[in-house]
Amino acid sequence: MSTLLSLQGCTVRFGGLTAVSGLDLKIGPHDLAGLIGPNGAGKTTVFNIITGVYRPTCGSITLGDKAIAGMKPNRIAGLGIARTFQNIRLFASLSVFDNVRAAFNLRLKHGFSHALFRFPAFYREEADVDRQVMELLDIFDLGRHRDVLCKNLSYGDQRRLEIVRALATRPKLLLLDEPAAGMNPTEKEALTRLVRFIKEKFEIAVLLVEHDMKVVMGICERIFVLDHGVKIAEGNPGEITKNSKVIEAYLGEQPPEAGTADA
């Protein structure tokens, strides 16, 4: 299997606290994978070192054949990694359209002189971006809300908008941090369909951190399990639910059944 993202021997220390220890993790170019574990296991820290928020204390991170550990977040985003956050981070006072439009700035080709003097190439590219924004919004049934301030959207629509904004950067890998947080059972079912659709439609890899095990077991093809910063298991949903270390550390005696997201 070819590898899109590889973490090798990654450790993250904050003073005397080791948040992640010697982590090895590989994601293929079309994987739909989950990262699970108890609170404080180091899951969000892993997302933060992948996206450049933190630099690993030791170890390497590569995207394709490029070493990215310690790069600034904007450079990593430009190379093809996008993320959402557990706490939604939209531009609350901007419209739905402008939230997604802002993400396209990462890929703009015209420079300062084109913007200042309004050369024809500037107008052509701006029109093309506007078209692409509406195409994305329509795909996710948000086009009807294009002029609505995002703070006035429903919670579920805000979650979808954050994912759309991430997709506007044209990622190779999409990181979803607790996408089902705060959702009701109906919204969780819609989310599972949405994540599968994203993977297939945009032909990208998806790695999600999620506490709702029915969501994880229902959509993830491969699952990594962390406990106190250490990877204790890796495998498909069936293997994970039967792993004694995972049951003891996280799942408990009655593992969830795969295939549904209506907890």
Side-chain angles (χ1 to χ4, degrees):
M1 180 188 74
S2 60
T3 300
L4 174 63
L5 178 77
S6 176
L7 280 67
Q8 294 186 313
C10 282
T11 294
V12 182
R13 297 189 185 95
F14 302 105
L17 172 67
T18 300
V20 175
S21 179
L23 178 62
D24 294 329
L25 185 151
K26 291 186 178 181
I27 301 292
H30 301 292
D31 279 356
L32 202 172
L35 181 62
I36 67 172
N39 287 331
K43 305 181 296 296
T44 296
T45 300
V46 172
F47 270 24
N48 284 337
I49 61 172
I50 292 173
T51 56
V53 177
Y54 301 146
R55 186 187 190 110
T57 307
C58 60
S60 65
I61 306 175
T62 56
L63 181 66
D65 59 358
K66 186 175 288 291
I68 64 171
M71 279 188 183
K72 292 186 179 300
N74 65 308
R75 286 196 63 198
I76 292 174
L79 291 172
I81 297 179
R83 74 175 292 182
T84 65
F85 295 86
Q86 182 176 352
N87 299 315
I88 297 173
R89 298 188 185 181
L90 294 168
F91 303 120
S93 60
L94 292 183
S95 69
V96 167
F97 181 93
D98 286 338
N99 264 269
V100 178
R101 177 66 180 79
F104 275 89
N105 289 332
L106 186 68
R107 302 293 181 185
L108 290 179
K109 296 176 182 177
H110 63 248
F112 175 76
S113 62
H114 286 79
L116 181 63
F117 297 107
R118 295 296 197 268
F119 294 136
F122 169 83
Y123 289 107
R124 286 195 298 270
E125 186 172 28
E126 289 291 302
D128 186 54
V129 167
D130 288 353
R131 176 186 58 77
Q132 292 181 64
V133 170
M134 284 309 303
E135 284 180 355
L136 268 178
L137 290 176
D138 287 339
I139 287 172
F140 293 92
D141 195 30
L142 289 170
R144 55 199 169 97
H145 299 308
R146 63 162 289 164
D147 297 320
V148 175
L149 297 184
C150 73
K151 65 183 179 182
N152 294 328
L153 292 176
S154 69
Y155 184 83
D157 282 344
Q158 287 187 30
R159 280 285 180 194
R160 277 193 297 152
L161 178 59
E162 191 177 34
I163 293 172
V164 172
R165 189 178 63 179
L167 290 171
T169 67
R170 301 177 189 169
K172 302 171 185 174
L173 171 63
L174 177 62
L175 307 179
L176 301 176
D177 193 354
E178 298 279 4
M183 288 188 171
N184 62 41
T186 300
E187 289 171 332
K188 288 177 182 178
E189 289 183 1
L191 174 70
T192 60
R193 294 192 296 269
L194 178 65
V195 174
R196 290 192 194 101
F197 170 79
I198 287 168
K199 175 184 179 274
E200 295 170 3
K201 170 72 175 178
F202 296 93
E203 298 183 334
I204 60 175
V206 179
L207 175 64
L208 63 89
V209 164
E210 182 53 61
H211 279 292
D212 189 308
M213 286 300 96
K214 287 189 176 180
V215 171
V216 173
M217 299 299 174
I219 60 175
C220 291
E221 300 152 352
R222 198 151 51 97
I223 300 169
F224 307 96
V225 188
L226 292 183
D227 185 31
H228 294 95
V230 177
K231 186 177 74 174
I232 61 171
E234 173 184 344
N236 63 43
E239 293 167 336
I240 293 301
T241 57
K242 296 173 184 176
N243 187 294
S244 60
K245 289 183 179 179
V246 179
I247 293 171
E248 180 182 357
Y250 188 49
L251 294 181
E253 294 183 359
Q254 186 62 44
E257 296 179 2
T260 60
D262 54 359

